[in-house]
Amino acid sequence: MGMRSAIVVGATGLVGSKLVQLLCESKEYISVTVLTRRQLNYTHKKLVERMVNFDELVESDLEFADDVFCCLGTTIKKAGTREQFEKVDIEYPLHIAAMAKKRGIQHFIVISAMGANEKSMAYYNRVKGKLEKELIDMDLPQLSIVRPSLLVGNRQEFRLGEKVGEVALRTLNPLLIGPLKKARSIEASQVALAMKVIALHGQKQKVSIYSSDELMAMHMPATEAKEDMSRESIFNWDKRKNDEVPLDEEVVFDRDKLKELEVKKEQK
């Protein structure tokens, strides 16, 4: 697990920036490469920044990695036109996924949206649904699609509509139970954590789709710390006598000491 490498696309966004920091500070990843149009406000010895133009991205821009995390996304207001919006939210991710497949990268993890459906009446959900369908049709080695609800967190840019929705959902979250739990707003940092969990411990099937409530419940499995035992501690007879730990005769070299312990145990 400690020899993994990752590529993150969309590293300056709300989720992407959290994910990059999480991966760099993780013991499971030794290398994190970001493809970005502008420099990050974060540095780390594991981090490699590769400045790119997504309109001119070529296969050699993607080094081999275990996982590609695609966090690309924009708004129509920021993109200016539907054409530019679809370029960022559909064309770029599909192009990157295709190159990742050619490079032999095994896992592509992408942020979509709750309600993604290519037949949806809502334009945004329709775009995300189209992206999902085309990624699935691409027959990638492994595809994981995450569908968060409204993302909350500190954005670099102010989005009035999302800010209003964020405040409203924060108030309503406790009331959204049962089937409505999926609609609860979710912290960007939690989505980033969920993406890391999916990469390391997620479902191993070819295509997996994770709803917002599933993302919200994810956490890194607890790992038991293994105590490094020195040779001195292994053959510390006083400690063995006090702990009364069973001894394997094949690794005990002092037979007299072993007999001594066995006699004392029988006398108790």
Side-chain angles (χ1 to χ4, degrees):
M1 276 299 180
M3 296 296 289
R4 297 182 75 85
S5 58
I7 295 173
V8 181
V9 189
T12 57
L14 188 59
V15 175
S17 58
K18 300 287 185 183
L19 179 61
V20 168
Q21 185 171 346
L22 191 63
L23 296 178
C24 284
E25 296 175 359
S26 165
K27 64 182 180 181
E28 292 88 358
Y29 285 86
I30 60 169
S31 174
V32 180
T33 300
V34 299
L35 304 183
T36 181
R37 287 177 293 193
R38 64 179 187 271
Q39 193 171 5
L40 275 63
N41 295 319
Y42 175 75
T43 58
H44 195 279
K45 62 182 181 180
K46 295 181 184 179
L47 181 62
V48 177
E49 289 187 66
R50 182 162 292 175
M51 308 300 289
V52 297
N53 181 340
F54 287 104
D55 289 317
E56 301 174 358
L57 204 63
V58 294
E59 191 176 324
S60 59
D61 288 322
L62 265 73
E63 295 181 352
F64 179 80
D66 295 282
D67 311 296
V68 172
F69 297 89
C70 184
C71 306
L72 285 174
T74 187
T75 62
I76 295 180
K77 181 179 179 181
K78 185 175 180 180
T81 65
R82 286 193 173 191
E83 180 181 5
Q84 285 299 117
F85 173 71
E86 291 181 20
K87 178 180 283 190
V88 174
D89 277 53
I90 299 180
E91 291 181 23
Y92 290 165
L94 291 177
H95 184 45
I96 293 163
M99 290 190 296
K101 182 179 180 180
K102 287 183 180 180
R103 297 290 277 178
I105 298 174
Q106 293 299 300
H107 199 177
F108 190 82
I109 307 168
V110 62
I111 299 178
S112 181
M114 182 181 71
N117 186 334
E118 62 173 334
K119 297 180 180 179
S120 174
M121 296 294 290
Y123 173 69
Y124 181 77
N125 289 345
R126 193 162 65 248
V127 167
K128 292 299 185 182
K130 183 178 180 182
L131 170 64
E132 289 187 8
K133 181 181 183 302
E134 295 200 23
L135 283 172
I136 293 171
D137 290 345
M138 197 175 288
D139 193 32
L140 300 169
Q142 185 180 359
L143 170 65
S144 293
I145 298 170
V146 301
R147 291 178 172 176
S149 60
L150 180 65
L151 294 169
V152 296
N154 296 321
R155 293 184 181 274
Q156 294 182 357
E157 72 216 49
F158 180 75
R159 299 180 181 179
L160 178 60
E162 289 189 0
K163 183 57 66 175
V164 172
E166 177 182 330
V167 173
L169 276 181
R170 281 187 185 276
T171 303
L172 291 173
N173 271 355
L175 304 178
L176 298 174
I177 58 177
L180 296 177
K181 192 174 181 180
K182 293 181 181 180
R184 289 181 177 179
S185 59
I186 184 169
E187 292 284 345
S189 56
Q190 178 59 32
V191 176
L193 174 61
M195 293 178 79
K196 177 188 170 187
V197 173
I198 289 167
L200 298 174
H201 307 286
Q203 302 171 24
K204 300 306 179 186
Q205 57 199 46
K206 199 168 183 66
V207 178
S208 303
I209 298 177
Y210 299 87
S211 62
S212 195
D213 55 331
E214 290 177 306
L215 301 175
M216 202 174 298
M218 287 185 180
H219 60 275
M220 284 295 293
T223 55
E224 294 183 5
K226 294 183 179 180
E227 182 182 356
D228 291 331
M229 296 186 68
S230 65
R231 184 177 178 83
E232 182 181 357
S233 66
I234 291 174
F235 297 102
N236 185 333
W237 288 104
D238 291 332
K239 185 177 189 303
R240 295 291 186 187
K241 284 186 287 186
N242 293 334
D243 293 347
E244 294 185 357
V245 178
L247 297 173
D248 184 348
E249 291 188 15
E250 293 182 359
V251 298
V252 176
F253 303 109
D254 191 331
R255 300 299 183 188
D256 293 334
K257 287 288 185 181
L258 178 60
K259 291 178 182 178
E260 180 184 329
L261 283 178
E262 288 175 343
V263 169
K264 288 186 177 181
K265 287 177 71 176
E266 290 175 1
Q267 292 174 347
K268 287 187 178 181

